[in-house]
DNA sequence: ATGAAAGCGCTAACAA
DNA sequence: TTGTTAGCGCTTTCAT
């Protein structure tokens, strides 16, 4: 519990500066003031061309003077266009995972940037799928948004499929299955895991471990890619399921890596950069040299990956491009066009945690 | 540019499953179906007590069957309650700073969690203050939100003050000035900088540097705290202005720390954990031992701080508590109560980057 | 170029 | 307990 330091507030003036100033809260108020009709004010404020340029400027000046801006709820109800995109993060497979997952947060930030640039507001909703499985329909069916972006499929693939059959303006970040209905943008996770593992093997790793829980489909695919690459090379992979959700990552990783009990592995594929960072530190504290004795490779290429010591080699997901593509596709879908899914190839970013 | 792998979509069924199924999009539609009035349906769906339990359940079942949910825009317009909190991040002093700043993102995640738990949706808006300085009023004056949370004051202190004089349901994360109008929640940044620096001095540091640009008021205060502590000890502080905004942090830090040109400093106070992380790595690459030759202390205590190598000593800001307090205060303000600002004391988290 | 009038879909006060 | 009625504040035909 945090102690709060209490602080005196300054005096707050709730009374208007001029007592004779009429409050102008509606178009009608402003219309009366300007001596025109509400319709004209509406057109003027919207910058419509069919209104006299002089009256328009007079009205706009008046609106500015009184700090008036039209009520968006009314506007949206009437025009049947909200200018809002819903962003939903389903937290199905791991309830402990909060919205604070750094990868989601980074993608969210990128989405916010792109949506803002396209003139949309962003409504964020942390959905906790329960038995009713209406977490998605709450967003799509409420008339609150023009479109919806889902970040991560969690274990809700089927729910998303069902909604997608009736609701078009939706784009999902995640994994792609051939023939699926919903439009998805994502990284080829299998390929990512494979590339990472092939690289480790090529540089001499033989005792491989995959670090990360496979509850969500994306990390599961990364693991599959790792296993596939190992198999090709006649090797096996030890799976150490570590939950990236909470702040215990460090301890979990320490436990998984045997708490200093010798050099069990010489090649570690981590399910995410965050897990990789923990591994880096734990290995260091165990006195193992990276990358000489153990190589570590992450997944995501979050900005922090370049700032670890040693700088983390990792499988890069194109977060910025991904966000841009999602917004583009969503806009197309809102406009009634149909769009194809996009699976983006991951790329290896080699820094100093691998040979 | 990323290559997109094109993928075939599955067939999409846009026709309803039963062609004789009537579309039910409004309360009135459902009312007709149920043989009651729209008012009753409204009450039933809202779970109001004054409606017959049997009719209520019949109506709810009917609504579920037809996948009907009331239009939120209409509901909100009528009830004059939106259930939405606007979250604004002003990017005044550093345009390059995107919403992807990890501290903001972490606070945002915490806010999302707390707001969701309180039944609010969260509308995110990245504001780029320009000459008109109406970025805030766009949120407060549009009738789109029940309240507004501003994350960071940037260089817009006065703008926020002006709005706060007329708009009550607003809480701001940032710095507190005695007598200010707007309700702020934040950390005592001066004290934080002071604590960090005193600690370094107590453990032997004499050649001090502060790493971070002081464009925003918060980091400026941290710097002041550092200078004050140094002054008390008869020392001076070298200011190395590094921008934490972009991905060049590493290079900037390397340049600031002299690119290996010897041990200029033995105590580094960083403006944020991210900057500290870069410093850690740069110093390591320059062959300096931490904390033996040079001590480093960060600011924020983001989750990653525990995962660096060596684990980062830092000045902790209570992000979770801060978010919770902001939401509490905002709810109180929405309910018409007035609230005091809260300045939270920072605390030193000592890990291994200091002695 | 502007005004009048009809809703957008819902909620809530008032009746019954 | 339910129906009726009157809007919430705006946009948009349709007239003029």
């Amino acid at each position: 519990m945090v102690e709060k330091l209490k602080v005196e507030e300054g005096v707050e003036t709730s009374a208007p500066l001029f007592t004779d100033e009429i409050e102008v809260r509606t178009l009608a108020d402003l219309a009366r003031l300007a001596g025109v009709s509400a319709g004209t004010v509406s057109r003027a404020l919207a910058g419509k061309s069919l209104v006299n340029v002089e009256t328009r400027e007079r009205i706009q000046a008046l609106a500015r003077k009184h700090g008036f801006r039209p009520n968006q709820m009314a506007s949206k109800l009437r025009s049947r266009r909200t200018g809002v995109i819903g962003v939903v993060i389903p937290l199905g497979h791991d309830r402990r995972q909060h919205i604070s997952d750094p990868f989601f947060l980074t993608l969210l930030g990128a989405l916010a940037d792109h949506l803002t640039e396209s003139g949309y507001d962003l409504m964020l909703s942390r959905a906790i799928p329960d038995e009713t499985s209406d977490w998605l329909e709450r967003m799509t069916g409420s008339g609150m948004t023009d479109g919806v972006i889902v970040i991560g499929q969690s274990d809700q693939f089927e729910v998303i499929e069902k909604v997608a059959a009736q609701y078009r303006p939706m784009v999902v970040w995640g994994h792609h299955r051939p023939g699926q209905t919903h439009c998805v943008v994502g990284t080829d996770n299998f390929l990512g895991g494979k590339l990472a593992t092939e690289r480790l093997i090529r540089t001499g790793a033989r005792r491989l471990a995959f670090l990360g829980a496979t509850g969500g489909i994306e990390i599961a695919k990364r693991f599959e890619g790792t296993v596939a690459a190992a198999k090709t090379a006649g090797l096996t992979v030890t799976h150490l399921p570590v939950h990236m959700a909470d702040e215990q990552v460090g301890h979990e990783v320490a436990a998984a890596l045997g708490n200093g009990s010798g050099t069990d592995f010489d090649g570690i594929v981590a399910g995410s950069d965050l897990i990789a960072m923990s591994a880096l530190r734990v290995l260091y504290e165990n006195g193992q040299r990276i990358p000489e004795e153990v190589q570590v490779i992450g997944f995501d290429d979050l900005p922090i990956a370049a700032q670890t010591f040693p700088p983390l080699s990792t499988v890069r997901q194109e977060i910025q491009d991904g966000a841009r593509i999602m917004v583009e596709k969503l806009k197309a879908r809102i406009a009634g066009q149909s769009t194809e899914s996009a699976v983006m190839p991951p790329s290896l970013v080699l820094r100093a945690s691998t040979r």
Side-chain angles (χ1 to χ4, degrees), chain A:
Chain A
M1 183 52 201
V2 173
E3 286 298 319
K4 287 186 244 173
L5 198 79
K6 292 200 173 172
V7 180
E8 272 305 307
E9 280 311 313
V11 182
E12 304 191 27
T13 42
S14 56
L17 295 173
F18 308 98
T19 35
D20 58 343
E21 194 169 308
I22 5 78
E23 212 197 4
V24 33
R25 299 188 323 101
T26 71
L27 278 190
D29 292 346
L30 196 62
R32 213 170 302 120
L33 231 67
V36 293
S37 78
T40 303
V41 175
S42 173
R43 288 181 277 245
L45 259 33
K48 292 265 166 97
S49 52
L50 13 54
V51 71
N52 186 315
V53 80
E54 179 223 312
T55 27
R56 177 172 61 208
E57 278 169 7
R58 192 164 51 88
I59 290 172
Q60 287 179 340
L62 214 51
R64 220 173 302 121
K65 176 182 163 199
H66 290 271
F68 169 76
R69 33 193 85 240
N71 181 305
Q72 295 297 328
M73 248 67 232
S75 162
K76 286 167 178 180
L77 173 59
R78 178 60 230 237
S79 62
R80 312 173 126 290
R81 184 191 176 281
T82 70
V84 176
I85 300 298
V87 174
V88 191
I89 304 185
L91 305 176
H93 62 283
D94 195 347
R95 300 294 167 90
R96 292 176 308 171
Q97 178 177 24
H98 274 212
I99 240 172
S100 26
D101 179 300
F103 175 79
F104 286 171
L105 247 24
T106 306
L107 184 53
L108 176 64
L111 284 171
D113 289 340
H114 288 285
L115 285 173
T116 304
E117 269 149 37
S118 297
Y120 282 106
D121 285 310
L122 186 163
M123 190 133 141
L124 183 60
S125 177
R126 182 188 69 149
I128 303 191
D130 51 7
E131 55 290 338
T132 69
S133 66
D134 73 332
W135 57 272
L136 225 199
E137 281 158 302
R138 272 193 48 222
M139 275 266 75
T140 59
S142 66
M144 243 175 352
T145 57
D146 291 343
V148 168
I149 288 177
V150 180
I151 304 187
Q153 292 145 325
S154 186
D155 52 8
Q156 302 288 305
F157 198 97
E158 291 312 325
V159 174
I160 299 173
E161 278 293 278
K162 205 186 71 200
V163 171
Q166 302 156 258
Y167 183 81
R168 311 301 319 288
M170 175 169 76
V171 177
V172 179
W173 175 271
H175 175 70
H176 181 270
R177 281 184 198 160
Q180 75 180 58
T181 301
H182 70 262
C183 176
V184 80
V185 175
T187 303
D188 188 335
N189 288 294
F190 180 89
L191 180 57
K194 189 156 157 284
L195 287 175
T197 312
E198 286 171 351
R199 170 76 198 186
L200 293 189
I201 295 173
R202 204 179 316 129
T203 51
R206 290 298 173 267
R207 303 187 305 286
L208 299 169
F210 182 92
L211 213 51
T214 51
I217 189 167
E218 305 200 40
I219 293 194
K221 286 287 161 190
R222 294 172 199 174
F223 177 51
E224 285 179 24
T226 292
V227 170
K231 194 170 180 182
T232 303
L235 300 172
T236 57
V237 180
T238 306
H239 183 203
L240 305 173
V242 166
H243 293 264
M244 60 184 290
D246 55 332
E247 311 200 345
Q248 304 294 323
V249 210
H251 298 292
E252 287 202 40
V253 171
L257 290 178
N259 252 326
S261 61
T263 57
D264 286 348
F265 308 107
D266 62 2
I268 294 179
V269 180
S272 73
D273 281 353
L274 230 64
I275 294 175
M277 267 188 79
S278 302
L280 244 38
R281 184 174 59 75
V282 168
L283 292 169
Y284 241 98
E285 287 172 353
N286 290 356
Q288 304 194 42
R289 287 177 308 141
I290 304 169
E292 293 81 4
E293 293 174 12
V294 191
Q295 302 188 72
V296 176
I297 192 157
F299 207 112
D300 288 342
D301 196 28
L302 297 181
I304 43 163
Q307 312 298 336
T308 61
F309 182 77
L312 184 67
S313 295
T314 189
V315 178
R316 176 175 175 84
Q317 303 202 67
E318 299 294 341
I319 300 182
Q320 288 296 331
D321 284 334
R324 187 178 44 71
I325 292 169
M326 291 182 87
V327 172
E328 275 168 13
K329 286 191 187 295
L330 187 58
K331 287 202 289 187
R333 292 193 146 243
I334 289 172
Q337 305 163 31
S338 62
T339 59
E340 293 171 323
S341 289
V343 177
M344 303 188 297
S347 54
L348 235 38
V349 176
L350 297 175
R351 300 203 178 89
S353 67
T354 53
R355 289 196 289 268

